[in-house]
Amino acid sequence: MGIIRRGSMGSVIALTVLAGIATAPAYAQPTRAVSADDPEPVNTAPPAEPEETELVDATDPAPEPEETVRPSKPGDTTNGEYCGPTQHIYTPTTKGSKYHKGVGPTNSNYNGTSRTARSTFTSEVTGEVGVSVSGELSTSVDVMVAKIEAKYAVNLSVKLTAKVGNSIAVDTLPKKTTNAKYGVYRLKNTGTSYTIYSNCKTTTKKTVTSYTPMKVGWYLWES
């Protein structure tokens, strides 16, 4: 019968436990739900483009013609219904992902060494990025943005400026290329828009897809 020195059994148990942790299958490791607001992983492709091909810069609708004042007494000038002044309605329905709208060229830096190197990128131009929409927006851009902010508790802007001279420094792995594009992150949202006229008639509800500025920043990816 062999002799086990004092302390040896504890070491054996510890080694067994560590080995079990090291060899645990990937599916046994705990996972964490990823939120749309979490930091993005290292990207391996350029920023995704919006799916909509008919996006246009959002503008406020043309002003309505002056309305007839409501009669002071029923039957004085009209016997039609009255629903008050014309109302332009917008209701956000679906919060989408963040999309990056670039300002200026894409910058790239290749690290041909065997060590991790530091890459610094600096924006070369200044540019404004506003709201883009697909569909018929009956209300003002300000109203639409305010509705989206209130529903999803986010901070948005009608327009943001990405300025020249902004810099970012990142690590570039050996034999890898870091690509950087400066611009504005925009939130995608889908909603419905329609108008209620003073005679109580309404227009058809139209689906509106919008991209609204959130933050100025860089989009990075490795290749």
Side-chain angles (χ1 to χ4, degrees), residues 177-204:
T177 297
T178 299
N179 307 279
K181 196 168 186 65
Y182 186 55
V184 174
Y185 283 92
R186 300 193 295 182
L187 179 67
K188 180 180 180 180
N189 180 79
T190 302
T192 57
S193 186
Y194 63 99
T195 299
I196 303 175
Y197 293 107
S198 58
N199 62 0
C200 302
K201 294 185 180 298
T202 64
T203 60
T204 303

mmCIF file with all atom_site columns, all heavy atoms in Angstrom, residues 177-204:
data_model
loop_
_atom_site.group_PDB
_atom_site.id
_atom_site.type_symbol
_atom_site.label_atom_id
_atom_site.label_alt_id
_atom_site.label_comp_id
_atom_site.label_asym_id
_atom_site.label_entity_id
_atom_site.label_seq_id
_atom_site.pdbx_PDB_ins_code
_atom_site.Cartn_x
_atom_site.Cartn_y
_atom_site.Cartn_z
_atom_site.occupancy
_atom_site.B_iso_or_equiv
_atom_site.pdbx_formal_charge
_atom_site.auth_seq_id
_atom_site.auth_comp_id
_atom_site.auth_asym_id
_atom_site.auth_atom_id
_atom_site.pdbx_PDB_model_num
ATOM 1   N N   . THR A 1 177 ? -6.023  43.903 -40.620 1.00 0.00 ? 177 THR A N   1
ATOM 2   C CA  . THR A 1 177 ? -6.290  45.282 -41.020 1.00 0.00 ? 177 THR A CA  1
ATOM 3   C C   . THR A 1 177 ? -7.452  45.818 -40.210 1.00 0.00 ? 177 THR A C   1
ATOM 4   O O   . THR A 1 177 ? -8.508  45.176 -40.128 1.00 0.00 ? 177 THR A O   1
ATOM 5   C CB  . THR A 1 177 ? -6.638  45.374 -42.515 1.00 0.00 ? 177 THR A CB  1
ATOM 6   O OG1 . THR A 1 177 ? -5.515  44.947 -43.298 1.00 0.00 ? 177 THR A OG1 1
ATOM 7   C CG2 . THR A 1 177 ? -6.993  46.810 -42.909 1.00 0.00 ? 177 THR A CG2 1
ATOM 8   N N   . THR A 1 178 ? -7.263  46.969 -39.589 1.00 0.00 ? 178 THR A N   1
ATOM 9   C CA  . THR A 1 178 ? -8.358  47.648 -38.897 1.00 0.00 ? 178 THR A CA  1
ATOM 10  C C   . THR A 1 178 ? -8.919  48.719 -39.818 1.00 0.00 ? 178 THR A C   1
ATOM 11  O O   . THR A 1 178 ? -8.169  49.537 -40.367 1.00 0.00 ? 178 THR A O   1
ATOM 12  C CB  . THR A 1 178 ? -7.883  48.297 -37.588 1.00 0.00 ? 178 THR A CB  1
ATOM 13  O OG1 . THR A 1 178 ? -7.385  47.286 -36.714 1.00 0.00 ? 178 THR A OG1 1
ATOM 14  C CG2 . THR A 1 178 ? -9.034  49.012 -36.901 1.00 0.00 ? 178 THR A CG2 1
ATOM 15  N N   . ASN A 1 179 ? -10.232 48.701 -40.001 1.00 0.00 ? 179 ASN A N   1
ATOM 16  C CA  . ASN A 1 179 ? -10.926 49.676 -40.833 1.00 0.00 ? 179 ASN A CA  1
ATOM 17  C C   . ASN A 1 179 ? -11.787 50.562 -39.937 1.00 0.00 ? 179 ASN A C   1
ATOM 18  O O   . ASN A 1 179 ? -12.398 50.074 -38.980 1.00 0.00 ? 179 ASN A O   1
ATOM 19  C CB  . ASN A 1 179 ? -11.808 48.976 -41.869 1.00 0.00 ? 179 ASN A CB  1
ATOM 20  C CG  . ASN A 1 179 ? -11.033 47.955 -42.688 1.00 0.00 ? 179 ASN A CG  1
ATOM 21  O OD1 . ASN A 1 179 ? -10.354 48.301 -43.629 1.00 0.00 ? 179 ASN A OD1 1
ATOM 22  N ND2 . ASN A 1 179 ? -11.125 46.689 -42.299 1.00 0.00 ? 179 ASN A ND2 1
ATOM 23  N N   . ALA A 1 180 ? -11.838 51.839 -40.255 1.00 0.00 ? 180 ALA A N   1
ATOM 24  C CA  . ALA A 1 180 ? -12.574 52.787 -39.407 1.00 0.00 ? 180 ALA A CA  1
ATOM 25  C C   . ALA A 1 180 ? -13.355 53.772 -40.267 1.00 0.00 ? 180 ALA A C   1
ATOM 26  O O   . ALA A 1 180 ? -12.814 54.346 -41.218 1.00 0.00 ? 180 ALA A O   1
ATOM 27  C CB  . ALA A 1 180 ? -11.601 53.540 -38.501 1.00 0.00 ? 180 ALA A CB  1
ATOM 28  N N   . LYS A 1 181 ? -14.619 53.945 -39.917 1.00 0.00 ? 181 LYS A N   1
ATOM 29  C CA  . LYS A 1 181 ? -15.467 54.896 -40.631 1.00 0.00 ? 181 LYS A CA  1
ATOM 30  C C   . LYS A 1 181 ? -16.133 55.812 -39.605 1.00 0.00 ? 181 LYS A C   1
ATOM 31  O O   . LYS A 1 181 ? -16.760 55.334 -38.657 1.00 0.00 ? 181 LYS A O   1
ATOM 32  C CB  . LYS A 1 181 ? -16.520 54.173 -41.463 1.00 0.00 ? 181 LYS A CB  1
ATOM 33  C CG  . LYS A 1 181 ? -17.178 55.057 -42.526 1.00 0.00 ? 181 LYS A CG  1
ATOM 34  C CD  . LYS A 1 181 ? -17.973 54.221 -43.495 1.00 0.00 ? 181 LYS A CD  1
ATOM 35  C CE  . LYS A 1 181 ? -18.509 55.061 -44.648 1.00 0.00 ? 181 LYS A CE  1
ATOM 36  N NZ  . LYS A 1 181 ? -17.420 55.609 -45.492 1.00 0.00 ? 181 LYS A NZ  1
ATOM 37  N N   . TYR A 1 182 ? -15.981 57.100 -39.801 1.00 0.00 ? 182 TYR A N   1
ATOM 38  C CA  . TYR A 1 182 ? -16.536 58.094 -38.877 1.00 0.00 ? 182 TYR A CA  1
ATOM 39  C C   . TYR A 1 182 ? -17.906 58.532 -39.370 1.00 0.00 ? 182 TYR A C   1
ATOM 40  O O   . TYR A 1 182 ? -18.160 58.596 -40.574 1.00 0.00 ? 182 TYR A O   1
ATOM 41  C CB  . TYR A 1 182 ? -15.595 59.295 -38.816 1.00 0.00 ? 182 TYR A CB  1
ATOM 42  C CG  . TYR A 1 182 ? -15.952 60.343 -37.792 1.00 0.00 ? 182 TYR A CG  1
ATOM 43  C CD1 . TYR A 1 182 ? -16.117 60.009 -36.455 1.00 0.00 ? 182 TYR A CD1 1
ATOM 44  C CD2 . TYR A 1 182 ? -16.095 61.677 -38.164 1.00 0.00 ? 182 TYR A CD2 1
ATOM 45  C CE1 . TYR A 1 182 ? -16.422 60.973 -35.508 1.00 0.00 ? 182 TYR A CE1 1
ATOM 46  C CE2 . TYR A 1 182 ? -16.392 62.650 -37.223 1.00 0.00 ? 182 TYR A CE2 1
ATOM 47  C CZ  . TYR A 1 182 ? -16.553 62.295 -35.899 1.00 0.00 ? 182 TYR A CZ  1
ATOM 48  O OH  . TYR A 1 182 ? -16.851 63.256 -34.966 1.00 0.00 ? 182 TYR A OH  1
ATOM 49  N N   . GLY A 1 183 ? -18.803 58.826 -38.440 1.00 0.00 ? 183 GLY A N   1
ATOM 50  C CA  . GLY A 1 183 ? -20.135 59.262 -38.851 1.00 0.00 ? 183 GLY A CA  1
ATOM 51  C C   . GLY A 1 183 ? -21.106 59.327 -37.693 1.00 0.00 ? 183 GLY A C   1
ATOM 52  O O   . GLY A 1 183 ? -20.732 59.661 -36.570 1.00 0.00 ? 183 GLY A O   1
ATOM 53  N N   . VAL A 1 184 ? -22.348 58.959 -37.972 1.00 0.00 ? 184 VAL A N   1
ATOM 54  C CA  . VAL A 1 184 ? -23.428 59.095 -36.993 1.00 0.00 ? 184 VAL A CA  1
ATOM 55  C C   . VAL A 1 184 ? -24.216 57.791 -36.916 1.00 0.00 ? 184 VAL A C   1
ATOM 56  O O   . VAL A 1 184 ? -24.607 57.226 -37.942 1.00 0.00 ? 184 VAL A O   1
ATOM 57  C CB  . VAL A 1 184 ? -24.379 60.251 -37.376 1.00 0.00 ? 184 VAL A CB  1
ATOM 58  C CG1 . VAL A 1 184 ? -25.588 60.297 -36.439 1.00 0.00 ? 184 VAL A CG1 1
ATOM 59  C CG2 . VAL A 1 184 ? -23.635 61.583 -37.350 1.00 0.00 ? 184 VAL A CG2 1
ATOM 60  N N   . TYR A 1 185 ? -24.431 57.321 -35.677 1.00 0.00 ? 185 TYR A N   1
ATOM 61  C CA  . TYR A 1 185 ? -25.305 56.166 -35.460 1.00 0.00 ? 185 TYR A CA  1
ATOM 62  C C   . TYR A 1 185 ? -26.755 56.646 -35.443 1.00 0.00 ? 185 TYR A C   1
ATOM 63  O O   . TYR A 1 185 ? -27.088 57.639 -34.774 1.00 0.00 ? 185 TYR A O   1
ATOM 64  C CB  . TYR A 1 185 ? -24.977 55.474 -34.136 1.00 0.00 ? 185 TYR A CB  1
ATOM 65  C CG  . TYR A 1 185 ? -23.737 54.619 -34.190 1.00 0.00 ? 185 TYR A CG  1
ATOM 66  C CD1 . TYR A 1 185 ? -22.495 55.145 -33.851 1.00 0.00 ? 185 TYR A CD1 1
ATOM 67  C CD2 . TYR A 1 185 ? -23.813 53.283 -34.581 1.00 0.00 ? 185 TYR A CD2 1
ATOM 68  C CE1 . TYR A 1 185 ? -21.350 54.361 -33.902 1.00 0.00 ? 185 TYR A CE1 1
ATOM 69  C CE2 . TYR A 1 185 ? -22.673 52.490 -34.620 1.00 0.00 ? 185 TYR A CE2 1
ATOM 70  C CZ  . TYR A 1 185 ? -21.449 53.038 -34.293 1.00 0.00 ? 185 TYR A CZ  1
ATOM 71  O OH  . TYR A 1 185 ? -20.318 52.252 -34.340 1.00 0.00 ? 185 TYR A OH  1
ATOM 72  N N   . ARG A 1 186 ? -27.605 55.926 -36.171 1.00 0.00 ? 186 ARG A N   1
ATOM 73  C CA  . ARG A 1 186 ? -29.027 56.288 -36.227 1.00 0.00 ? 186 ARG A CA  1
ATOM 74  C C   . ARG A 1 186 ? -29.885 55.095 -35.809 1.00 0.00 ? 186 ARG A C   1
ATOM 75  O O   . ARG A 1 186 ? -29.548 53.937 -36.090 1.00 0.00 ? 186 ARG A O   1
ATOM 76  C CB  . ARG A 1 186 ? -29.425 56.747 -37.626 1.00 0.00 ? 186 ARG A CB  1
ATOM 77  C CG  . ARG A 1 186 ? -28.652 57.946 -38.105 1.00 0.00 ? 186 ARG A CG  1
ATOM 78  C CD  . ARG A 1 186 ? -29.255 58.586 -39.342 1.00 0.00 ? 186 ARG A CD  1
ATOM 79  N NE  . ARG A 1 186 ? -29.220 57.714 -40.511 1.00 0.00 ? 186 ARG A NE  1
ATOM 80  C CZ  . ARG A 1 186 ? -29.655 58.080 -41.721 1.00 0.00 ? 186 ARG A CZ  1
ATOM 81  N NH1 . ARG A 1 186 ? -30.162 59.291 -41.909 1.00 0.00 ? 186 ARG A NH1 1
ATOM 82  N NH2 . ARG A 1 186 ? -29.585 57.248 -42.734 1.00 0.00 ? 186 ARG A NH2 1
ATOM 83  N N   . LEU A 1 187 ? -30.993 55.394 -35.142 1.00 0.00 ? 187 LEU A N   1
ATOM 84  C CA  . LEU A 1 187 ? -31.922 54.352 -34.688 1.00 0.00 ? 187 LEU A CA  1
ATOM 85  C C   . LEU A 1 187 ? -33.021 54.151 -35.730 1.00 0.00 ? 187 LEU A C   1
ATOM 86  O O   . LEU A 1 187 ? -33.667 55.109 -36.155 1.00 0.00 ? 187 LEU A O   1
ATOM 87  C CB  . LEU A 1 187 ? -32.548 54.748 -33.360 1.00 0.00 ? 187 LEU A CB  1
ATOM 88  C CG  . LEU A 1 187 ? -33.574 53.759 -32.780 1.00 0.00 ? 187 LEU A CG  1
ATOM 89  C CD1 . LEU A 1 187 ? -32.897 52.457 -32.377 1.00 0.00 ? 187 LEU A CD1 1
ATOM 90  C CD2 . LEU A 1 187 ? -34.303 54.365 -31.588 1.00 0.00 ? 187 LEU A CD2 1
ATOM 91  N N   . LYS A 1 188 ? -33.220 52.909 -36.110 1.00 0.00 ? 188 LYS A N   1
ATOM 92  C CA  . LYS A 1 188 ? -34.308 52.581 -37.026 1.00 0.00 ? 188 LYS A CA  1
ATOM 93  C C   . LYS A 1 188 ? -35.606 52.412 -36.248 1.00 0.00 ? 188 LYS A C   1
ATOM 94  O O   . LYS A 1 188 ? -35.619 51.841 -35.156 1.00 0.00 ? 188 LYS A O   1
ATOM 95  C CB  . LYS A 1 188 ? -34.003 51.285 -37.785 1.00 0.00 ? 188 LYS A CB  1
ATOM 96  C CG  . LYS A 1 188 ? -35.101 50.871 -38.766 1.00 0.00 ? 188 LYS A CG  1
ATOM 97  C CD  . LYS A 1 188 ? -34.743 49.578 -39.492 1.00 0.00 ? 188 LYS A CD  1
ATOM 98  C CE  . LYS A 1 188 ? -35.835 49.169 -40.470 1.00 0.00 ? 188 LYS A CE  1
ATOM 99  N NZ  . LYS A 1 188 ? -35.491 47.912 -41.185 1.00 0.00 ? 188 LYS A NZ  1
ATOM 100 N N   . ASN A 1 189 ? -36.685 52.919 -36.799 1.00 0.00 ? 189 ASN A N   1
ATOM 101 C CA  . ASN A 1 189 ? -37.990 52.785 -36.153 1.00 0.00 ? 189 ASN A CA  1
ATOM 102 C C   . ASN A 1 189 ? -39.078 52.698 -37.221 1.00 0.00 ? 189 ASN A C   1
ATOM 103 O O   . ASN A 1 189 ? -38.993 53.335 -38.279 1.00 0.00 ? 189 ASN A O   1
ATOM 104 C CB  . ASN A 1 189 ? -38.290 53.981 -35.249 1.00 0.00 ? 189 ASN A CB  1
ATOM 105 C CG  . ASN A 1 189 ? -39.639 53.853 -34.565 1.00 0.00 ? 189 ASN A CG  1
ATOM 106 O OD1 . ASN A 1 189 ? -39.775 53.139 -33.580 1.00 0.00 ? 189 ASN A OD1 1
ATOM 107 N ND2 . ASN A 1 189 ? -40.641 54.525 -35.100 1.00 0.00 ? 189 ASN A ND2 1
ATOM 108 N N   . THR A 1 190 ? -40.087 51.893 -36.928 1.00 0.00 ? 190 THR A N   1
ATOM 109 C CA  . THR A 1 190 ? -41.251 51.801 -37.811 1.00 0.00 ? 190 THR A CA  1
ATOM 110 C C   . THR A 1 190 ? -42.467 52.331 -37.075 1.00 0.00 ? 190 THR A C   1
ATOM 111 O O   . THR A 1 190 ? -42.651 52.047 -35.881 1.00 0.00 ? 190 THR A O   1
ATOM 112 C CB  . THR A 1 190 ? -41.492 50.344 -38.252 1.00 0.00 ? 190 THR A CB  1
ATOM 113 O OG1 . THR A 1 190 ? -40.319 49.858 -38.909 1.00 0.00 ? 190 THR A OG1 1
ATOM 114 C CG2 . THR A 1 190 ? -42.673 50.259 -39.209 1.00 0.00 ? 190 THR A CG2 1
ATOM 115 N N   . GLY A 1 191 ? -43.288 53.112 -37.762 1.00 0.00 ? 191 GLY A N   1
ATOM 116 C CA  . GLY A 1 191 ? -44.488 53.670 -37.146 1.00 0.00 ? 191 GLY A CA  1
ATOM 117 C C   . GLY A 1 191 ? -45.579 53.881 -38.179 1.00 0.00 ? 191 GLY A C   1
ATOM 118 O O   . GLY A 1 191 ? -45.413 53.561 -39.358 1.00 0.00 ? 191 GLY A O   1
ATOM 119 N N   . THR A 1 192 ? -46.705 54.400 -37.735 1.00 0.00 ? 192 THR A N   1
ATOM 120 C CA  . THR A 1 192 ? -47.822 54.698 -38.639 1.00 0.00 ? 192 THR A CA  1
ATOM 121 C C   . THR A 1 192 ? -48.136 56.189 -38.572 1.00 0.00 ? 192 THR A C   1
ATOM 122 O O   . THR A 1 192 ? -48.009 56.822 -37.527 1.00 0.00 ? 192 THR A O   1
ATOM 123 C CB  . THR A 1 192 ? -49.078 53.892 -38.262 1.00 0.00 ? 192 THR A CB  1
ATOM 124 O OG1 . THR A 1 192 ? -49.435 54.178 -36.898 1.00 0.00 ? 192 THR A OG1 1
ATOM 125 C CG2 . THR A 1 192 ? -48.831 52.403 -38.411 1.00 0.00 ? 192 THR A CG2 1
ATOM 126 N N   . SER A 1 193 ? -48.563 56.719 -39.701 1.00 0.00 ? 193 SER A N   1
ATOM 127 C CA  . SER A 1 193 ? -48.839 58.142 -39.793 1.00 0.00 ? 193 SER A CA  1
ATOM 128 C C   . SER A 1 193 ? -50.118 58.370 -40.602 1.00 0.00 ? 193 SER A C   1
ATOM 129 O O   . SER A 1 193 ? -50.324 57.717 -41.627 1.00 0.00 ? 193 SER A O   1
ATOM 130 C CB  . SER A 1 193 ? -47.660 58.856 -40.462 1.00 0.00 ? 193 SER A CB  1
ATOM 131 O OG  . SER A 1 193 ? -47.831 60.252 -40.441 1.00 0.00 ? 193 SER A OG  1
ATOM 132 N N   . TYR A 1 194 ? -50.960 59.283 -40.106 1.00 0.00 ? 194 TYR A N   1
ATOM 133 C CA  . TYR A 1 194 ? -52.184 59.622 -40.827 1.00 0.00 ? 194 TYR A CA  1
ATOM 134 C C   . TYR A 1 194 ? -52.702 60.974 -40.335 1.00 0.00 ? 194 TYR A C   1
ATOM 135 O O   . TYR A 1 194 ? -52.154 61.559 -39.388 1.00 0.00 ? 194 TYR A O   1
ATOM 136 C CB  . TYR A 1 194 ? -53.251 58.544 -40.642 1.00 0.00 ? 194 TYR A CB  1
ATOM 137 C CG  . TYR A 1 194 ? -53.728 58.340 -39.220 1.00 0.00 ? 194 TYR A CG  1
ATOM 138 C CD1 . TYR A 1 194 ? -54.916 58.915 -38.766 1.00 0.00 ? 194 TYR A CD1 1
ATOM 139 C CD2 . TYR A 1 194 ? -52.998 57.562 -38.326 1.00 0.00 ? 194 TYR A CD2 1
ATOM 140 C CE1 . TYR A 1 194 ? -55.348 58.730 -37.457 1.00 0.00 ? 194 TYR A CE1 1
ATOM 141 C CE2 . TYR A 1 194 ? -53.416 57.372 -37.023 1.00 0.00 ? 194 TYR A CE2 1
ATOM 142 C CZ  . TYR A 1 194 ? -54.591 57.959 -36.592 1.00 0.00 ? 194 TYR A CZ  1
ATOM 143 O OH  . TYR A 1 194 ? -55.015 57.787 -35.302 1.00 0.00 ? 194 TYR A OH  1
ATOM 144 N N   . THR A 1 195 ? -53.753 61.463 -40.970 1.00 0.00 ? 195 THR A N   1
ATOM 145 C CA  . THR A 1 195 ? -54.310 62.773 -40.637 1.00 0.00 ? 195 THR A CA  1
ATOM 146 C C   . THR A 1 195 ? -55.797 62.665 -40.339 1.00 0.00 ? 195 THR A C   1
ATOM 147 O O   . THR A 1 195 ? -56.524 61.933 -41.017 1.00 0.00 ? 195 THR A O   1
ATOM 148 C CB  . THR A 1 195 ? -54.107 63.765 -41.809 1.00 0.00 ? 195 THR A CB  1
ATOM 149 O OG1 . THR A 1 195 ? -52.695 63.908 -42.042 1.00 0.00 ? 195 THR A OG1 1
ATOM 150 C CG2 . THR A 1 195 ? -54.700 65.125 -41.495 1.00 0.00 ? 195 THR A CG2 1
ATOM 151 N N   . ILE A 1 196 ? -56.230 63.373 -39.287 1.00 0.00 ? 196 ILE A N   1
ATOM 152 C CA  . ILE A 1 196 ? -57.657 63.505 -38.977 1.00 0.00 ? 196 ILE A CA  1
ATOM 153 C C   . ILE A 1 196 ? -58.058 64.948 -39.293 1.00 0.00 ? 196 ILE A C   1
ATOM 154 O O   . ILE A 1 196 ? -57.511 65.888 -38.714 1.00 0.00 ? 196 ILE A O   1
ATOM 155 C CB  . ILE A 1 196 ? -57.953 63.201 -37.498 1.00 0.00 ? 196 ILE A CB  1
ATOM 156 C CG1 . ILE A 1 196 ? -57.461 61.807 -37.111 1.00 0.00 ? 196 ILE A CG1 1
ATOM 157 C CG2 . ILE A 1 196 ? -59.454 63.326 -37.219 1.00 0.00 ? 196 ILE A CG2 1
ATOM 158 C CD1 . ILE A 1 196 ? -57.620 61.494 -35.632 1.00 0.00 ? 196 ILE A CD1 1
ATOM 159 N N   . TYR A 1 197 ? -58.997 65.116 -40.220 1.00 0.00 ? 197 TYR A N   1
ATOM 160 C CA  . TYR A 1 197 ? -59.420 66.462 -40.605 1.00 0.00 ? 197 TYR A CA  1
ATOM 161 C C   . TYR A 1 197 ? -60.537 66.971 -39.707 1.00 0.00 ? 197 TYR A C   1
ATOM 162 O O   . TYR A 1 197 ? -61.160 66.209 -38.947 1.00 0.00 ? 197 TYR A O   1
ATOM 163 C CB  . TYR A 1 197 ? -59.878 66.461 -42.068 1.00 0.00 ? 197 TYR A CB  1
ATOM 164 C CG  . TYR A 1 197 ? -58.746 66.208 -43.037 1.00 0.00 ? 197 TYR A CG  1
ATOM 165 C CD1 . TYR A 1 197 ? -58.631 64.992 -43.706 1.00 0.00 ? 197 TYR A CD1 1
ATOM 166 C CD2 . TYR A 1 197 ? -57.784 67.178 -43.274 1.00 0.00 ? 197 TYR A CD2 1
ATOM 167 C CE1 . TYR A 1 197 ? -57.590 64.751 -44.590 1.00 0.00 ? 197 TYR A CE1 1
ATOM 168 C CE2 . TYR A 1 197 ? -56.739 66.961 -44.154 1.00 0.00 ? 197 TYR A CE2 1
ATOM 169 C CZ  . TYR A 1 197 ? -56.644 65.746 -44.806 1.00 0.00 ? 197 TYR A CZ  1
ATOM 170 O OH  . TYR A 1 197 ? -55.608 65.516 -45.675 1.00 0.00 ? 197 TYR A OH  1
ATOM 171 N N   . SER A 1 198 ? -60.817 68.271 -39.822 1.00 0.00 ? 198 SER A N   1
ATOM 172 C CA  . SER A 1 198 ? -61.810 68.891 -38.948 1.00 0.00 ? 198 SER A CA  1
ATOM 173 C C   . SER A 1 198 ? -63.214 68.332 -39.175 1.00 0.00 ? 198 SER A C   1
ATOM 174 O O   . SER A 1 198 ? -64.066 68.394 -38.294 1.00 0.00 ? 198 SER A O   1
ATOM 175 C CB  . SER A 1 198 ? -61.823 70.407 -39.156 1.00 0.00 ? 198 SER A CB  1
ATOM 176 O OG  . SER A 1 198 ? -62.092 70.710 -40.512 1.00 0.00 ? 198 SER A OG  1
ATOM 177 N N   . ASN A 1 199 ? -63.458 67.772 -40.372 1.00 0.00 ? 199 ASN A N   1
ATOM 178 C CA  . ASN A 1 199 ? -64.776 67.176 -40.642 1.00 0.00 ? 199 ASN A CA  1
ATOM 179 C C   . ASN A 1 199 ? -64.836 65.707 -40.222 1.00 0.00 ? 199 ASN A C   1
ATOM 180 O O   . ASN A 1 199 ? -65.756 64.982 -40.594 1.00 0.00 ? 199 ASN A O   1
ATOM 181 C CB  . ASN A 1 199 ? -65.124 67.313 -42.119 1.00 0.00 ? 199 ASN A CB  1
ATOM 182 C CG  . ASN A 1 199 ? -64.158 66.582 -43.030 1.00 0.00 ? 199 ASN A CG  1
ATOM 183 O OD1 . ASN A 1 199 ? -63.202 65.959 -42.569 1.00 0.00 ? 199 ASN A OD1 1
ATOM 184 N ND2 . ASN A 1 199 ? -64.395 66.659 -44.328 1.00 0.00 ? 199 ASN A ND2 1
ATOM 185 N N   . CYS A 1 200 ? -63.825 65.270 -39.455 1.00 0.00 ? 200 CYS A N   1
ATOM 186 C CA  . CYS A 1 200 ? -63.750 63.924 -38.873 1.00 0.00 ? 200 CYS A CA  1
ATOM 187 C C   . CYS A 1 200 ? -63.332 62.841 -39.864 1.00 0.00 ? 200 CYS A C   1
ATOM 188 O O   . CYS A 1 200 ? -63.284 61.660 -39.500 1.00 0.00 ? 200 CYS A O   1
ATOM 189 C CB  . CYS A 1 200 ? -65.076 63.512 -38.214 1.00 0.00 ? 200 CYS A CB  1
ATOM 190 S SG  . CYS A 1 200 ? -65.608 64.650 -36.909 1.00 0.00 ? 200 CYS A SG  1
ATOM 191 N N   . LYS A 1 201 ? -63.030 63.214 -41.088 1.00 0.00 ? 201 LYS A N   1
ATOM 192 C CA  . LYS A 1 201 ? -62.535 62.232 -42.042 1.00 0.00 ? 201 LYS A CA  1
ATOM 193 C C   . LYS A 1 201 ? -61.043 62.012 -41.801 1.00 0.00 ? 201 LYS A C   1
ATOM 194 O O   . LYS A 1 201 ? -60.322 62.915 -41.369 1.00 0.00 ? 201 LYS A O   1
ATOM 195 C CB  . LYS A 1 201 ? -62.770 62.697 -43.481 1.00 0.00 ? 201 LYS A CB  1
ATOM 196 C CG  . LYS A 1 201 ? -64.245 62.780 -43.851 1.00 0.00 ? 201 LYS A CG  1
ATOM 197 C CD  . LYS A 1 201 ? -64.409 63.112 -45.309 1.00 0.00 ? 201 LYS A CD  1
ATOM 198 C CE  . LYS A 1 201 ? -65.891 63.200 -45.689 1.00 0.00 ? 201 LYS A CE  1
ATOM 199 N NZ  . LYS A 1 201 ? -66.592 61.909 -45.482 1.00 0.00 ? 201 LYS A NZ  1
ATOM 200 N N   . THR A 1 202 ? -60.574 60.801 -42.060 1.00 0.00 ? 202 THR A N   1
ATOM 201 C CA  . THR A 1 202 ? -59.165 60.463 -41.847 1.00 0.00 ? 202 THR A CA  1
ATOM 202 C C   . THR A 1 202 ? -58.552 59.917 -43.126 1.00 0.00 ? 202 THR A C   1
ATOM 203 O O   . THR A 1 202 ? -59.233 59.299 -43.947 1.00 0.00 ? 202 THR A O   1
ATOM 204 C CB  . THR A 1 202 ? -58.997 59.419 -40.729 1.00 0.00 ? 202 THR A CB  1
ATOM 205 O OG1 . THR A 1 202 ? -59.635 58.192 -41.126 1.00 0.00 ? 202 THR A OG1 1
ATOM 206 C CG2 . THR A 1 202 ? -59.602 59.915 -39.430 1.00 0.00 ? 202 THR A CG2 1
ATOM 207 N N   . THR A 1 203 ? -57.260 60.136 -43.268 1.00 0.00 ? 203 THR A N   1
ATOM 208 C CA  . THR A 1 203 ? -56.542 59.552 -44.391 1.00 0.00 ? 203 THR A CA  1
ATOM 209 C C   . THR A 1 203 ? -56.162 58.112 -44.049 1.00 0.00 ? 203 THR A C   1
ATOM 210 O O   . THR A 1 203 ? -56.252 57.685 -42.897 1.00 0.00 ? 203 THR A O   1
ATOM 211 C CB  . THR A 1 203 ? -55.259 60.347 -44.686 1.00 0.00 ? 203 THR A CB  1
ATOM 212 O OG1 . THR A 1 203 ? -54.410 60.317 -43.525 1.00 0.00 ? 203 THR A OG1 1
ATOM 213 C CG2 . THR A 1 203 ? -55.584 61.795 -45.028 1.00 0.00 ? 203 THR A CG2 1
ATOM 214 N N   . THR A 1 204 ? -55.734 57.377 -45.051 1.00 0.00 ? 204 THR A N   1
ATOM 215 C CA  . THR A 1 204 ? -55.292 56.003 -44.840 1.00 0.00 ? 204 THR A CA  1
ATOM 216 C C   . THR A 1 204 ? -54.019 55.994 -43.996 1.00 0.00 ? 204 THR A C   1
ATOM 217 O O   . THR A 1 204 ? -53.134 56.821 -44.202 1.00 0.00 ? 204 THR A O   1
ATOM 218 C CB  . THR A 1 204 ? -55.014 55.312 -46.181 1.00 0.00 ? 204 THR A CB  1
ATOM 219 O OG1 . THR A 1 204 ? -56.196 55.365 -46.988 1.00 0.00 ? 204 THR A OG1 1
ATOM 220 C CG2 . THR A 1 204 ? -54.610 53.864 -45.975 1.00 0.00 ? 204 THR A CG2 1
#
